[in-house]
Amino acid sequence: MRIGMLTGGGDCPGLNAVIRAVVRKGVLHYQDEFIGFMEGWRGVLDDRTMPLNLDTTTGILQKGGTILRSSRTNVKKIEDGFERCREVLATHKLDALIAIGGDDTQSISVELARRGVNCVGVPKTIDNDLMGTDACFGFDTAVSIATEAVDRLHSTTEAHSRVQVVEVMGRDAGWIAITAGIAGGADVTLVPELEIDMDEVERLIRARWESGKRFAIVVVSEGAKLPHVAGQVAVGDKLDAFGHVRLSGIGQLLAEEIERRTGYETRSVNLGHTQRGGTPTANDRMLATRYGIAAIDLVHSGRFGRLVVLRGTGIGDIPIEDSIAKTRTVGEDLLEVMRALQP
Ligand code: F6P
């Protein structure tokens, strides 16, 4: 078969592992031919491609980023965008298209599938908030980076008897914050799923001082909402093609409010894109590889319009549209773990 592949949305560690797995199984076991579209859906619209074969995908398993590059291109915003995509895919005589991406990317796959394109999806986001799958690759790497940062911040924060706020990614769901918060032993963890109660934050920090520890670590999701600020904290008001603001800055505002209330010196650090960069963990390479193999198998079994997913420890698949219906947020079970560790 002739198969196209693209990576869309924010990059995350493990994208190259998916690409490699798809190409290796496709070439070695199915005699497939592949074309990679550059920069997500933009590459389809502009017909910008690169060859994908055993030579171009060797040595990329452990590399972060994506050899196909990525972008947040919204085909819905482009006049005749879907027609243009269909034409380009037809010119290349493609039998199927594998789109690796989160809800925004998959929302385009759904539309193209409705127009007769044979799409298969692979779920990706460090935020880990895609509905229908228990995990997205990239999340484990992001959490490892955030946890290491929390570990490192302990010694300097203690040395100066400070409060340290750590802002992590997570636009609508607090998976990175809650996991790095629990794994890193943060004293306060704040996620978009729960209204922030500043009295409670103050109580928890004062409890640290009273216990004799005299320093505290606070982890906060970029998408959490402060009670004294309207909406999410963003840089400017520019929206991307899918209508998202650029979230950043809640950590600093939170630090100022903590210092004002407690009188304890409070600093903030925003981990930002460091959480998305660099080499994927072994776990993410495994998950990405399993997803890639499952995606090429779906193509060959003719089961289009499906997204590969993790259910428990096994790989399955669901209709792509089920993954974009709503966001998968942090459940009460993990929130309970967090509360159980607090005084
Ligand atoms: O959607 C994943 C994500 O990493 C969010 O956590 C974050 O808000 C966003 O991407 C940042 O995107 P960009 O790299 O386009 O600024």
Side-chain angles (χ1 to χ4, degrees), residues 10 72 125-127 169-171 222 240 246-247 273 276:
R72 296 187 187 272
T125 164
I126 63 158
D127 287 2
M169 281 191 171
R171 180 179 286 283
E222 61 178 359
D240 71 16
R246 199 175 290 173
L247 295 179
H273 291 84
R276 291 219 312 242

Side-chain angles (χ1 to χ4, degrees), residues 160-302:
H160 289 268
S161 307
R162 288 172 176 155
V163 179
Q164 178 70 54
V165 175
V166 188
E167 179 177 329
V168 298
M169 281 191 171
R171 180 179 286 283
D172 303 305
W175 291 104
I176 297 177
I178 195 110
T179 313
I182 293 171
D187 304 293
V188 182
T189 300
L190 303 168
V191 293
E193 287 82 352
L194 295 177
E195 294 247 313
I196 296 179
D197 176 349
M198 284 308 302
D199 291 339
E200 177 64 0
V201 173
E202 184 180 338
R203 183 187 74 78
L204 290 168
I205 291 169
R206 287 196 184 280
R208 282 284 285 177
W209 257 257
E210 278 151 24
S211 76
K213 280 294 199 177
R214 300 179 59 78
F215 76 100
I217 307 276
V218 179
V219 175
V220 62
S221 299
E222 61 178 359
K225 288 187 206 77
L226 287 171
H228 59 289
V229 176
Q232 291 174 306
V233 183
V235 181
D237 48 15
K238 252 176 57 186
L239 302 180
D240 71 16
F242 288 91
H244 308 302
V245 285
R246 199 175 290 173
L247 295 179
S248 180
I250 188 172
Q252 180 55 26
L253 294 184
L254 178 64
E256 286 165 18
E257 181 61 9
I258 291 171
E259 187 167 295
R260 191 188 68 74
R261 281 173 167 255
T262 61
Y264 306 142
E265 184 183 349
T266 306
R267 300 293 184 91
S268 78
V269 62
N270 185 352
L271 301 185
H273 291 84
T274 52
Q275 295 158 97
R276 291 219 312 242
T279 190
T281 59
N283 245 329
D284 275 339
R285 294 182 212 181
M286 276 297 290
L287 184 58
T289 300
R290 293 174 77 198
Y291 277 160
I293 302 296
I296 191 69
D297 286 344
L298 269 185
V299 168
H300 280 275
S301 56

Side-chain angles (χ1 to χ4, degrees), residues 40-61:
W41 296 112
R42 189 182 294 156
V44 181
L45 289 162
D46 299 348
D47 195 7
R48 269 188 306 116
T49 63
M50 71 169 272
L52 286 179
N53 51 46
L54 294 180
D55 286 340
T56 59
T57 59
T58 186
I60 64 171
L61 175 62

Side-chain angles (χ1 to χ4, degrees), residues 42 71-78 104 107-108 238-246:
R42 189 182 294 156
S71 73
R72 296 187 187 272
T73 305
N74 188 351
V75 178
K76 292 178 202 164
K77 293 267 173 74
I78 291 155
D104 293 334
S107 70
I108 307 300
K238 252 176 57 186
L239 302 180
D240 71 16
F242 288 91
H244 308 302
V245 285
R246 199 175 290 173

Side-chain angles (χ1 to χ4, degrees), residues 103 128-133 172-173 318 320-329:
D103 51 352
N128 208 31
D129 59 357
L130 210 65
M131 198 39 115
T133 185
D172 303 305
I318 59 169
I320 301 176
E321 56 259 43
D322 289 3
S323 69
I324 60 171
K326 58 182 172 108
T327 302
R328 192 178 74 97
T329 49

